[in-house]
Amino acid sequence: MKDEVTHWETFSNSPPWFMTVSGYVSGGFDANADQLKTESIDDFAAYMVGVTERLEEAHGIDVDTIDPFNEPNTNYWGTQLGADGNPTGGRQEGAHMGPELQQQVIPALASALEGSTTDAVISAMDETNPGTFARNWNSYPQSVRDQVAQLNVHTYGTGQRTTVRDIAKGEDKPLWMSEVGGNWSSTGQDFETMESGLGSAQHIVDDLRELEPNAWVFWQPVEDYTNMAPGGESADGMNWGEIQIPFDCTAEDTLETCPIYTNTKYWATQNFTHYIEPGDRLVRSDDASSTAAISEDDSTATVVHVNATTDERAVTLDLSKFGAVGSDATVTPVVTSTAGYLVEGEPVASRTKPRVRAPRSRCPRSP
């Protein structure tokens, strides 16, 4: 399995507790205050490099990028203490690091990488949304920007996608949409509703169209079924993850005693992953519900169209601006809906203009 991984990245949710101001990896007592001690910046950089080197040695892998941050310029990461002195809040590791502190950590990490055994380069800064990413990045001096080889951004907020796209193009650096996930459902934990699949699919389309990332990465595609069930993370349950399985399964369990569940996000995503492959390139579409791509060898084109309505929709593919279209060219519709997943229809021949009109084209849609 690990031999099939094409890019390894190490990243930090939080420095070790003894490098933090609060002494907790769940965040500071003030979630808006920097959590990494300034006197621990060099130690934190050495820790990141050291962990990466040990992972490479232990598992026989080559890490490509190191990101020392995770959604750093936010107020997400806070720790609250009860009357007994024990934490009462802050269930997830995290550490606030504002842009000024980021500008100190990145050079320290670059220095720690010099002479190390890893060939990894720096990625940054895994910010929660494009707008905050842009604000952080625009505050960096050019010397710090030059030390970042890959730009990482999340899309839990969606404004200013094109701003970050243009930053990446201007810097001539690869851009990753390095994390997003979501519930995309109003019905709680629900493995049948197309609502979650359609919501996820439209988010992918929007990210690919506006952000134009080199990679698009899920946050935790496998979630704990029990935590997502009603009464776990929420009263009604949730649809985070594409696959859910109880995390307390043992080696003695079987698929009957510890079943694996997939929601419609799992199937809707395959409309992208089964047809748009690494090396393919995205091309412009004038439809906000469609992603279009050309294969690496220029022999085929793929359009993933999201129809979030309950009605059938005609999709017209205008191929007139292609340099050449084969006389025997066809379009094969593949549909994911409540009626079935990746259901392949009959190929539709192109018109001589050329123009193709298909009732549906590779589109996750509602029934």
Side-chain angles (χ1 to χ4, degrees):
M1 178 68 73
K2 71 180 181 182
D3 293 336
E4 298 178 8
V5 176
T6 59
H7 187 110
W8 295 94
E9 178 169 88
T10 55
F11 77 97
S12 170
N13 282 314
S14 169
W17 68 269
F18 51 86
M19 297 184 192
T20 67
V21 173
S22 70
Y24 291 89
V25 297
S26 49
F29 300 128
D30 178 356
N32 293 292
D34 287 337
Q35 175 72 333
L36 174 64
K37 295 177 181 177
T38 54
E39 64 268 27
S40 296
I41 291 174
D42 289 338
D43 290 338
F44 175 55
Y47 157 79
M48 287 290 298
V49 174
V51 168
T52 299
E53 290 175 323
R54 287 167 175 78
L55 283 171
E56 290 182 328
E57 181 179 357
H59 297 284
I61 62 175
D62 294 316
V63 173
D64 298 277
T65 50
I66 300 178
D67 193 326
F69 312 115
N70 179 58
E71 301 178 342
N73 193 19
T74 66
N75 62 354
Y76 300 164
W77 318 119
T79 299
Q80 302 84 43
L81 301 180
D84 59 359
N86 292 318
T88 60
R91 299 176 57 240
Q92 184 176 335
E93 287 189 5
H96 180 95
M97 297 191 205
E100 293 78 12
L101 182 55
Q102 294 171 31
Q103 295 167 39
Q104 298 177 66
V105 171
I106 290 171
L109 180 57
S111 178
L113 284 168
E114 294 179 2
S116 67
T117 61
T118 180
D119 293 325
V121 295
I122 298 174
S123 57
M125 75 293 301
D126 264 296
E127 194 50 89
T128 186
N129 60 56
T132 308
F133 175 99
R135 186 164 65 251
N136 296 346
W137 183 262
N138 288 335
S139 75
Y140 290 6
Q142 191 60 49
S143 60
V144 174
R145 296 179 188 178
D146 290 343
Q147 292 172 321
V148 179
Q150 176 181 295
L151 309 185
N152 285 5
V153 68
H154 304 170
T155 54
Y156 289 107
T158 57
Q160 298 189 50
R161 284 185 180 110
T162 56
T163 299
V164 175
R165 175 202 66 192
D166 292 345
I167 287 173
K169 290 183 177 181
E171 296 283 350
D172 193 25
K173 299 178 188 288
L175 170 64
W176 278 41
M177 198 304 294
S178 52
E179 178 193 318
V180 79
N183 190 45
W184 288 297
S185 175
S186 60
T187 55
Q189 187 187 43
D190 189 333
F191 300 106
E192 301 298 329
T193 177
M194 281 301 297
E195 187 179 21
S196 62
L198 289 165
S200 176
Q202 186 62 58
H203 196 102
I204 295 172
V205 166
D206 292 342
D207 278 350
L208 296 182
R209 189 184 73 256
E210 297 183 355
L211 192 63
E212 298 182 25
N214 297 87
W216 196 96
V217 183
F218 282 107
W219 165 249
Q220 201 153 307
V222 181
E223 284 279 357
D224 180 8
Y225 169 84
T226 306
N227 192 44
M228 290 293 103
E233 188 82 5
S234 69
D236 295 329
M238 301 181 74
N239 270 337
W240 281 75
E242 287 63 48
I243 300 168
Q244 294 182 13
I245 184 172
F247 282 3
D248 58 359
C249 295
T250 68
E252 286 71 38
D253 278 304
T254 66
L255 288 177
E256 291 184 355
T257 61
C258 196
I260 298 172
Y261 303 87
T262 56
N263 56 39
T264 59
K265 287 187 290 183
Y266 175 83
W267 300 104
T269 300
Q270 292 184 22
N271 288 263
F272 298 88
T273 58
H274 281 209
Y275 301 101
I276 300 177
E277 300 181 350
D280 293 358
R281 62 189 186 278
L282 300 178
V283 294
R284 183 179 176 182
S285 168
D286 62 1
D287 177 23
S289 296
S290 299
T291 291
I294 304 296
S295 64
E296 188 172 18
D297 63 2
D298 293 329
S299 65
T300 60
T302 296
V303 175
V304 183
H305 177 78
V306 181
N307 177 9
T309 74
T310 57
D311 298 321
E312 290 193 358
R313 176 183 292 169
V315 178
T316 300
L317 306 180
D318 183 356
L319 309 180
S320 61
K321 289 184 172 60
F322 280 74
V325 178
S327 59
D328 58 348
T330 61
V331 173
T332 301
V334 180
V335 179
T336 289
S337 70
T338 52
Y341 306 125
L342 301 177
V343 178
E344 188 170 312
E346 292 296 322
V348 179
S350 65
R351 295 182 180 179
T352 55
K353 287 188 178 180
R355 175 166 292 187
V356 177
R357 185 174 178 84
R360 297 182 294 274
S361 178
R362 287 182 179 167
C363 54
R365 68 177 184 89
S366 54

